[in-house]
């Protein structure tokens, strides 16, 4: 379930997004941003946030993706960010599958000449990812008072932001 | 296109079917992540196809109103488009990644 590590757009730009069912780490993303011309590196990590509702505790989230389209949309967003903010390196990884509370679900890394470009591009990427990339999460709750494990409704879009 | 996918599309064309992939709430509403529908070789309008599926799975109807639809990996603009045997339709409820 891993994407090839180096792909290029028609224009020859490297595209590096990944959608994977394996654990994702900061070092894996940071490695892809090494670039002597960048004065700033911003790393954003989105994690599964603990939550309690009506006395029940969230144990985790199930993530799923339309993988092929998600990669295409992520590549698109990388291109847009590069154009808008003039960044030098971008690497986005999103994890799918069953994730426990506290686990990293998404990591976005941006390297740019100056910090403002890097911060703005990272912000742009996470906001657009949530709106435009075909990835979904479903809540998983601990056993409720009825003793039954319930899979409940999906939160409306944007109701849960990482971090 | 990966070999497995090309094979699936070829088979779908031979049997004159359209494959639908349902995600998230759409999958839950139907109780399956894939559906297959026979269509005439001249194709069928996408809105007609989706309407017939919504009739069988009424819980899908409100989800379809807010869903994006893709054909062969490209978003569909306007549901009057015709789908033909071998086409792959994906139903995308609002995204919630991150």
């Amino acid at each position: 379930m891993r994407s090839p590590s180096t792909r290029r757009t028609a224009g020859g730009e490297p595209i590096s997004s990944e959608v994977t069912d394996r654990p994702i780490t900061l070092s894996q993303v940071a490695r892809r941003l090494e670039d002597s011309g960048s004065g700033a590196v911003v790393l954003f990590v989105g994690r599964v946030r603990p939550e309690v509702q009506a006395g029940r505790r969230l144990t985790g989230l199930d993530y799923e993706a339309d993988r092929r389209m998600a990669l295409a949309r992520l590549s698109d967003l990388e291109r847009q960010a590069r154009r808008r903010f003039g960044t030098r390196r971008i690497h986005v990884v999103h994890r799918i599958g069953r994730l426990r509370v506290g686990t990293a679900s998404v990591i976005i890394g941006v390297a740019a000449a100056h910090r403002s470009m890097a911060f703005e591009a990272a912000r742009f990427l996470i906001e657009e990812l949530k709106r435009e990339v075909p990835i979904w999460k479903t809540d998983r709750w601990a056993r409720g008072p009825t003793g039954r494990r319930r899979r409940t409704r999906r939160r409306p879009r944007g109701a849960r932001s990482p971090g | 296109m990966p070999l497995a996918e090309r094979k699936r599309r070829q088979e779908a064309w031979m049997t004159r079917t359209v494959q639908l992939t349902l995600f998230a709430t759409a999958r839950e509403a139907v109780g399956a992540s894939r559906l297959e529908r026979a269509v005439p070789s001249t194709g069928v309008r996408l809105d007609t196809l989706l309407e017939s599926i919504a009739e069988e799975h009424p819980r899908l109807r409100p989800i379809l109103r807010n869903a994006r639809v893709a054909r062969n990996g490209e978003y569909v603009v306007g549901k009057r488009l015709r789908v033909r045997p071998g086409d792959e339709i994906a139903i995308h409820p609002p995204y919630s990644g991150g």
Side-chain angles (χ1 to χ4, degrees):
Chain A
M1 288 289 290
R2 276 184 92 94
S3 56
S5 54
T6 308
R7 288 155 298 145
R8 289 178 186 277
T9 63
E13 291 171 294
I15 291 294
S16 62
S17 317
E18 290 176 62
V19 174
T20 176
D21 53 7
R22 298 190 208 173
I24 56 177
T25 63
L26 275 171
S27 59
Q28 136 196 23
V29 175
R31 238 191 341 263
R32 301 291 298 269
L33 303 175
E34 271 161 31
D35 163 40
S36 57
S38 293
V41 171
V42 166
L43 288 159
F44 168 83
V45 182
R47 301 202 303 173
V48 179
R49 184 177 55 226
E51 204 156 300
V52 175
Q53 239 176 54
R56 288 179 313 127
R57 186 176 52 84
L58 186 83
T59 57
L61 296 172
D62 286 343
Y63 282 88
E64 65 188 291
D66 182 332
R67 208 160 167 283
R68 185 167 58 130
M69 285 191 70
L71 286 172
R73 298 298 293 129
L74 281 169
S75 298
D76 230 38
L77 293 179
E78 283 185 32
R79 258 195 308 279
Q80 284 180 44
R82 206 171 283 128
R83 226 184 13 241
R84 278 176 67 161
F85 306 102
T87 56
R88 294 176 60 95
R89 296 267 193 282
I90 293 176
H91 193 64
V92 178
V93 293
H94 202 299
R95 190 170 169 192
I96 53 174
R98 180 156 292 186
L99 272 62
R100 297 165 67 89
V101 166
T103 312
S105 56
V106 61
I107 303 180
I108 291 176
V110 180
H114 302 287
R115 65 184 178 284
S116 60
M117 301 167 166
F119 274 119
E120 281 170 37
R123 181 71 194 258
F124 167 83
L125 286 164
I126 184 61
E127 300 301 337
E128 289 296 306
L129 181 153
K130 291 168 80 68
R131 258 195 301 273
E132 295 297 329
V133 178
I135 298 176
W136 300 267
K137 60 167 79 81
T138 307
D139 298 356
R140 297 184 61 246
W141 298 93
R143 283 168 202 285
T146 60
R148 249 183 37 201
R149 187 176 280 282
R150 264 180 56 189
R151 276 178 62 140
T152 51
R153 58 170 188 88
R154 199 168 302 270
R155 284 189 204 79
R157 181 165 77 183
R160 156 184 284 265
S161 26
Chain B
M1 188 187 303
L3 186 66
E5 195 182 325
R6 197 180 312 159
K7 230 174 136 180
R8 198 168 59 228
R9 274 206 209 170
Q10 246 165 29
E11 275 169 20
W13 190 84
M14 307 267 282
T15 54
R16 308 256 158 123
T17 58
V18 168
Q19 308 284 324
L20 288 103
T21 312
L22 305 144
F23 293 95
T25 48
R27 170 175 41 73
E28 286 166 5
V30 169
S33 59
R34 275 186 170 273
L35 289 176
E36 200 176 82
R37 282 293 174 277
V39 295
S41 55
T42 51
V44 63
R45 263 175 58 166
L46 178 61
D47 52 1
T48 310
L49 177 72
L50 293 179
E51 177 54 35
S52 78
I53 290 166
E55 246 158 57
E56 289 167 52
H57 303 278
R59 288 177 57 209
L60 188 62
R61 196 180 295 277
I63 292 162
L64 283 176
R65 274 196 284 272
N66 294 314
R68 294 189 220 191
V69 178
R71 184 184 61 169
N72 304 332
E74 303 281 344
Y75 290 117
V76 167
V77 184
K79 292 179 183 161
R80 301 180 57 146
L81 169 119
R82 291 190 88 75
V83 292
R84 295 193 158 75
D87 278 350
E88 293 239 333
I89 303 297
I91 308 295
H92 288 186
Y95 305 144
S96 57

mmCIF file of all heavy atoms in Angstrom, chain A residues 136-163:
data_model
loop_
_atom_site.group_PDB
_atom_site.id
_atom_site.type_symbol
_atom_site.label_atom_id
_atom_site.label_comp_id
_atom_site.label_asym_id
_atom_site.label_seq_id
_atom_site.Cartn_x
_atom_site.Cartn_y
_atom_site.Cartn_z
ATOM 1 N N TRP A 136 -11.502 9.697 4.382
ATOM 2 C CA TRP A 136 -12.600 9.792 5.355
ATOM 3 C C TRP A 136 -12.198 9.149 6.659
ATOM 4 O O TRP A 136 -11.446 8.181 6.678
ATOM 5 C CB TRP A 136 -13.836 9.068 4.830
ATOM 6 C CG TRP A 136 -14.376 9.598 3.555
ATOM 7 C CD1 TRP A 136 -15.355 10.538 3.412
ATOM 8 C CD2 TRP A 136 -14.004 9.213 2.214
ATOM 9 N NE1 TRP A 136 -15.609 10.763 2.078
ATOM 10 C CE2 TRP A 136 -14.784 9.971 1.321
ATOM 11 C CE3 TRP A 136 -13.064 8.320 1.692
ATOM 12 C CZ2 TRP A 136 -14.678 9.853 -0.062
ATOM 13 C CZ3 TRP A 136 -12.947 8.198 0.309
ATOM 14 C CH2 TRP A 136 -13.746 8.959 -0.543
ATOM 15 N N LYS A 137 -12.776 9.649 7.746
ATOM 16 C CA LYS A 137 -12.581 9.023 9.046
ATOM 17 C C LYS A 137 -13.928 8.607 9.639
ATOM 18 O O LYS A 137 -14.951 9.244 9.397
ATOM 19 C CB LYS A 137 -11.846 9.977 9.998
ATOM 20 C CG LYS A 137 -12.565 11.295 10.262
ATOM 21 C CD LYS A 137 -11.962 12.053 11.443
ATOM 22 C CE LYS A 137 -10.686 12.804 11.158
ATOM 23 N NZ LYS A 137 -10.894 14.113 10.511
ATOM 24 N N THR A 138 -13.909 7.526 10.401
ATOM 25 C CA THR A 138 -15.093 7.077 11.144
ATOM 26 C C THR A 138 -14.688 6.911 12.601
ATOM 27 O O THR A 138 -13.651 6.322 12.895
ATOM 28 C CB THR A 138 -15.589 5.717 10.604
ATOM 29 O OG1 THR A 138 -15.775 5.823 9.199
ATOM 30 C CG2 THR A 138 -16.910 5.328 11.258
ATOM 31 N N ASP A 139 -15.514 7.425 13.509
ATOM 32 C CA ASP A 139 -15.234 7.312 14.950
ATOM 33 C C ASP A 139 -15.333 5.873 15.423
ATOM 34 O O ASP A 139 -16.187 5.127 14.966
ATOM 35 C CB ASP A 139 -16.279 8.086 15.761
ATOM 36 C CG ASP A 139 -16.275 9.564 15.448
ATOM 37 O OD1 ASP A 139 -15.412 9.997 14.668
ATOM 38 O OD2 ASP A 139 -17.144 10.267 15.994
ATOM 39 N N ARG A 140 -14.519 5.540 16.390
ATOM 40 C CA ARG A 140 -14.676 4.271 17.093
ATOM 41 C C ARG A 140 -14.722 4.562 18.591
ATOM 42 O O ARG A 140 -13.821 5.179 19.129
ATOM 43 C CB ARG A 140 -13.524 3.321 16.769
ATOM 44 C CG ARG A 140 -13.478 2.961 15.297
ATOM 45 C CD ARG A 140 -12.400 1.959 14.996
ATOM 46 N NE ARG A 140 -12.626 0.731 15.728
ATOM 47 C CZ ARG A 140 -11.808 0.292 16.690
ATOM 48 N NH1 ARG A 140 -10.744 0.961 17.026
ATOM 49 N NH2 ARG A 140 -12.085 -0.836 17.296
ATOM 50 N N TRP A 141 -15.796 4.126 19.234
ATOM 51 C CA TRP A 141 -16.013 4.436 20.648
ATOM 52 C C TRP A 141 -15.849 3.190 21.501
ATOM 53 O O TRP A 141 -16.134 2.084 21.055
ATOM 54 C CB TRP A 141 -17.422 5.014 20.859
ATOM 55 C CG TRP A 141 -17.629 6.302 20.133
ATOM 56 C CD1 TRP A 141 -18.148 6.451 18.886
ATOM 57 C CD2 TRP A 141 -17.300 7.613 20.593
ATOM 58 N NE1 TRP A 141 -18.166 7.781 18.531
ATOM 59 C CE2 TRP A 141 -17.658 8.520 19.566
ATOM 60 C CE3 TRP A 141 -16.740 8.117 21.775
ATOM 61 C CZ2 TRP A 141 -17.465 9.887 19.681
ATOM 62 C CZ3 TRP A 141 -16.562 9.486 21.893
ATOM 63 C CH2 TRP A 141 -16.917 10.362 20.851
ATOM 64 N N ALA A 142 -15.430 3.395 22.742
ATOM 65 C CA ALA A 142 -15.332 2.281 23.679
ATOM 66 C C ALA A 142 -16.737 1.765 23.973
ATOM 67 O O ALA A 142 -17.726 2.431 23.689
ATOM 68 C CB ALA A 142 -14.658 2.727 24.964
ATOM 69 N N ARG A 143 -16.821 0.566 24.562
ATOM 70 C CA ARG A 143 -18.118 -0.004 24.896
ATOM 71 C C ARG A 143 -18.956 0.998 25.683
ATOM 72 O O ARG A 143 -18.493 1.563 26.661
ATOM 73 C CB ARG A 143 -17.936 -1.250 25.755
ATOM 74 C CG ARG A 143 -17.506 -2.439 24.942
ATOM 75 C CD ARG A 143 -17.051 -3.564 25.846
ATOM 76 N NE ARG A 143 -16.180 -4.469 25.131
ATOM 77 C CZ ARG A 143 -16.602 -5.356 24.226
ATOM 78 N NH1 ARG A 143 -17.886 -5.461 23.954
ATOM 79 N NH2 ARG A 143 -15.765 -6.133 23.591
ATOM 80 N N GLY A 144 -20.166 1.165 25.245
ATOM 81 C CA GLY A 144 -21.062 2.116 25.911
ATOM 82 C C GLY A 144 -21.789 1.446 27.055
ATOM 83 O O GLY A 144 -21.512 0.293 27.377
ATOM 84 N N PRO A 145 -22.729 2.160 27.676
ATOM 85 C CA PRO A 145 -23.478 1.610 28.798
ATOM 86 C C PRO A 145 -24.243 0.344 28.415
ATOM 87 O O PRO A 145 -24.499 -0.511 29.251
ATOM 88 C CB PRO A 145 -24.457 2.729 29.165
ATOM 89 C CG PRO A 145 -23.977 3.945 28.454
ATOM 90 C CD PRO A 145 -23.109 3.517 27.317
ATOM 91 N N THR A 146 -24.575 0.201 27.130
ATOM 92 C CA THR A 146 -25.323 -0.980 26.704
ATOM 93 C C THR A 146 -24.404 -2.184 26.562
ATOM 94 O O THR A 146 -24.882 -3.296 26.368
ATOM 95 C CB THR A 146 -25.966 -0.740 25.324
ATOM 96 O OG1 THR A 146 -24.907 -0.478 24.395
ATOM 97 C CG2 THR A 146 -26.933 0.403 25.345
ATOM 98 N N GLY A 147 -23.089 -1.951 26.647
ATOM 99 C CA GLY A 147 -22.153 -3.052 26.507
ATOM 100 C C GLY A 147 -21.856 -3.391 25.055
ATOM 101 O O GLY A 147 -21.071 -4.273 24.773
ATOM 102 N N ARG A 148 -22.487 -2.664 24.150
ATOM 103 C CA ARG A 148 -22.255 -2.941 22.730
ATOM 104 C C ARG A 148 -21.232 -1.977 22.174
ATOM 105 O O ARG A 148 -21.239 -0.799 22.491
ATOM 106 C CB ARG A 148 -23.559 -2.774 21.961
ATOM 107 C CG ARG A 148 -24.098 -4.084 21.457
ATOM 108 C CD ARG A 148 -25.340 -3.875 20.649
ATOM 109 N NE ARG A 148 -25.289 -2.666 19.827
ATOM 110 C CZ ARG A 148 -26.356 -2.056 19.363
ATOM 111 N NH1 ARG A 148 -27.538 -2.521 19.638
ATOM 112 N NH2 ARG A 148 -26.259 -0.976 18.624
ATOM 113 N N ARG A 149 -20.364 -2.489 21.349
ATOM 114 C CA ARG A 149 -19.425 -1.592 20.672
ATOM 115 C C ARG A 149 -20.179 -0.912 19.541
ATOM 116 O O ARG A 149 -20.804 -1.581 18.729
ATOM 117 C CB ARG A 149 -18.248 -2.378 20.113
ATOM 118 C CG ARG A 149 -17.169 -1.500 19.561
ATOM 119 C CD ARG A 149 -16.012 -2.341 19.110
ATOM 120 N NE ARG A 149 -15.164 -2.742 20.226
ATOM 121 C CZ ARG A 149 -14.282 -1.929 20.791
ATOM 122 N NH1 ARG A 149 -14.132 -0.699 20.365
ATOM 123 N NH2 ARG A 149 -13.549 -2.347 21.785
ATOM 124 N N ARG A 150 -20.142 0.397 19.570
ATOM 125 C CA ARG A 150 -20.924 1.121 18.550
ATOM 126 C C ARG A 150 -20.023 1.858 17.600
ATOM 127 O O ARG A 150 -19.052 2.482 18.007
ATOM 128 C CB ARG A 150 -21.837 2.141 19.232
ATOM 129 C CG ARG A 150 -23.225 1.631 19.441
ATOM 130 C CD ARG A 150 -24.063 2.680 20.117
ATOM 131 N NE ARG A 150 -24.089 3.944 19.382
ATOM 132 C CZ ARG A 150 -24.622 5.055 19.877
ATOM 133 N NH1 ARG A 150 -25.150 5.057 21.069
ATOM 134 N NH2 ARG A 150 -24.625 6.157 19.175
ATOM 135 N N ARG A 151 -20.364 1.783 16.365
ATOM 136 C CA ARG A 151 -19.715 2.658 15.380
ATOM 137 C C ARG A 151 -20.726 3.730 15.059
ATOM 138 O O ARG A 151 -21.814 3.438 14.612
ATOM 139 C CB ARG A 151 -19.357 1.892 14.120
ATOM 140 C CG ARG A 151 -18.038 1.169 14.255
ATOM 141 C CD ARG A 151 -17.780 0.411 13.007
ATOM 142 N NE ARG A 151 -17.683 1.345 11.885
ATOM 143 C CZ ARG A 151 -16.799 1.201 10.917
ATOM 144 N NH1 ARG A 151 -15.959 0.228 10.932
ATOM 145 N NH2 ARG A 151 -16.772 2.048 9.921
ATOM 146 N N THR A 152 -20.364 4.937 15.338
ATOM 147 C CA THR A 152 -21.376 5.978 15.252
ATOM 148 C C THR A 152 -21.229 6.817 14.000
ATOM 149 O O THR A 152 -20.359 6.597 13.187
ATOM 150 C CB THR A 152 -21.321 6.889 16.481
ATOM 151 O OG1 THR A 152 -19.975 7.296 16.634
ATOM 152 C CG2 THR A 152 -21.796 6.154 17.701
ATOM 153 N N ARG A 153 -22.064 7.782 13.950
ATOM 154 C CA ARG A 153 -22.110 8.687 12.804
ATOM 155 C C ARG A 153 -20.740 9.337 12.595
ATOM 156 O O ARG A 153 -19.966 9.499 13.511
ATOM 157 C CB ARG A 153 -23.139 9.787 13.052
ATOM 158 C CG ARG A 153 -22.764 10.519 14.312
ATOM 159 C CD ARG A 153 -23.485 11.753 14.609
ATOM 160 N NE ARG A 153 -22.786 12.314 15.755
ATOM 161 C CZ ARG A 153 -21.765 13.114 15.675
ATOM 162 N NH1 ARG A 153 -21.326 13.493 14.499
ATOM 163 N NH2 ARG A 153 -21.166 13.555 16.754
ATOM 164 N N ARG A 154 -20.531 9.687 11.370
ATOM 165 C CA ARG A 154 -19.335 10.422 11.004
ATOM 166 C C ARG A 154 -19.545 11.876 11.381
ATOM 167 O O ARG A 154 -20.642 12.380 11.299
ATOM 168 C CB ARG A 154 -19.213 10.335 9.499
ATOM 169 C CG ARG A 154 -17.925 10.613 8.903
ATOM 170 C CD ARG A 154 -18.048 10.165 7.482
ATOM 171 N NE ARG A 154 -18.417 8.756 7.477
ATOM 172 C CZ ARG A 154 -17.523 7.788 7.464
ATOM 173 N NH1 ARG A 154 -16.264 8.067 7.435
ATOM 174 N NH2 ARG A 154 -17.918 6.552 7.466
ATOM 175 N N ARG A 155 -18.511 12.495 11.846
ATOM 176 C CA ARG A 155 -18.653 13.929 12.143
ATOM 177 C C ARG A 155 -18.821 14.715 10.863
ATOM 178 O O ARG A 155 -18.267 14.338 9.847
ATOM 179 C CB ARG A 155 -17.393 14.463 12.802
ATOM 180 C CG ARG A 155 -17.270 14.068 14.203
ATOM 181 C CD ARG A 155 -16.113 14.845 14.766
ATOM 182 N NE ARG A 155 -15.584 14.130 15.890
ATOM 183 C CZ ARG A 155 -14.796 13.100 15.763
ATOM 184 N NH1 ARG A 155 -14.422 12.699 14.573
ATOM 185 N NH2 ARG A 155 -14.370 12.477 16.819
ATOM 186 N N PRO A 156 -19.563 15.813 10.936
ATOM 187 C CA PRO A 156 -19.635 16.652 9.747
ATOM 188 C C PRO A 156 -18.247 17.163 9.385
ATOM 189 O O PRO A 156 -17.369 17.240 10.234
ATOM 190 C CB PRO A 156 -20.551 17.792 10.144
ATOM 191 C CG PRO A 156 -20.660 17.729 11.618
ATOM 192 C CD PRO A 156 -20.331 16.350 12.046
ATOM 193 N N ARG A 157 -18.105 17.459 8.112
ATOM 194 C CA ARG A 157 -16.819 17.900 7.601
ATOM 195 C C ARG A 157 -16.275 19.047 8.440
ATOM 196 O O ARG A 157 -16.979 20.000 8.732
ATOM 197 C CB ARG A 157 -17.028 18.353 6.161
ATOM 198 C CG ARG A 157 -15.790 18.810 5.478
ATOM 199 C CD ARG A 157 -16.028 18.866 4.011
ATOM 200 N NE ARG A 157 -16.796 20.049 3.658
ATOM 201 C CZ ARG A 157 -17.200 20.306 2.428
ATOM 202 N NH1 ARG A 157 -16.952 19.459 1.482
ATOM 203 N NH2 ARG A 157 -17.866 21.394 2.167
ATOM 204 N N GLY A 158 -15.035 18.940 8.846
ATOM 205 C CA GLY A 158 -14.371 20.051 9.519
ATOM 206 C C GLY A 158 -14.627 20.132 11.000
ATOM 207 O O GLY A 158 -14.067 20.966 11.690
ATOM 208 N N ALA A 159 -15.487 19.241 11.547
ATOM 209 C CA ALA A 159 -15.816 19.337 12.958
ATOM 210 C C ALA A 159 -14.639 18.927 13.833
ATOM 211 O O ALA A 159 -14.543 19.314 14.969
ATOM 212 C CB ALA A 159 -17.019 18.465 13.280
ATOM 213 N N ARG A 160 -13.765 18.098 13.257
ATOM 214 C CA ARG A 160 -12.611 17.667 14.041
ATOM 215 C C ARG A 160 -11.372 18.053 13.261
ATOM 216 O O ARG A 160 -11.144 17.548 12.194
ATOM 217 C CB ARG A 160 -12.657 16.153 14.219
ATOM 218 C CG ARG A 160 -11.302 15.530 14.489
ATOM 219 C CD ARG A 160 -11.460 14.062 14.544
ATOM 220 N NE ARG A 160 -12.059 13.691 15.811
ATOM 221 C CZ ARG A 160 -11.342 13.314 16.865
ATOM 222 N NH1 ARG A 160 -10.039 13.269 16.814
ATOM 223 N NH2 ARG A 160 -11.936 12.973 17.974
ATOM 224 N N SER A 161 -10.597 18.977 13.791
ATOM 225 C CA SER A 161 -9.370 19.276 13.082
ATOM 226 C C SER A 161 -8.217 18.650 13.846
ATOM 227 O O SER A 161 -8.268 18.554 15.059
ATOM 228 C CB SER A 161 -9.174 20.774 12.941
ATOM 229 O OG SER A 161 -9.835 21.438 13.959
ATOM 230 N N PRO A 162 -7.210 18.208 13.122
ATOM 231 C CA PRO A 162 -6.101 17.583 13.823
ATOM 232 C C PRO A 162 -5.339 18.627 14.631
ATOM 233 O O PRO A 162 -5.367 19.803 14.304
ATOM 234 C CB PRO A 162 -5.237 17.024 12.700
ATOM 235 C CG PRO A 162 -5.638 17.739 11.463
ATOM 236 C CD PRO A 162 -7.000 18.301 11.693
ATOM 237 N N GLY A 163 -4.676 18.188 15.636
ATOM 238 C CA GLY A 163 -3.767 19.059 16.391
ATOM 239 C C GLY A 163 -4.458 19.856 17.458
ATOM 240 O O GLY A 163 -5.632 19.949 17.556
#
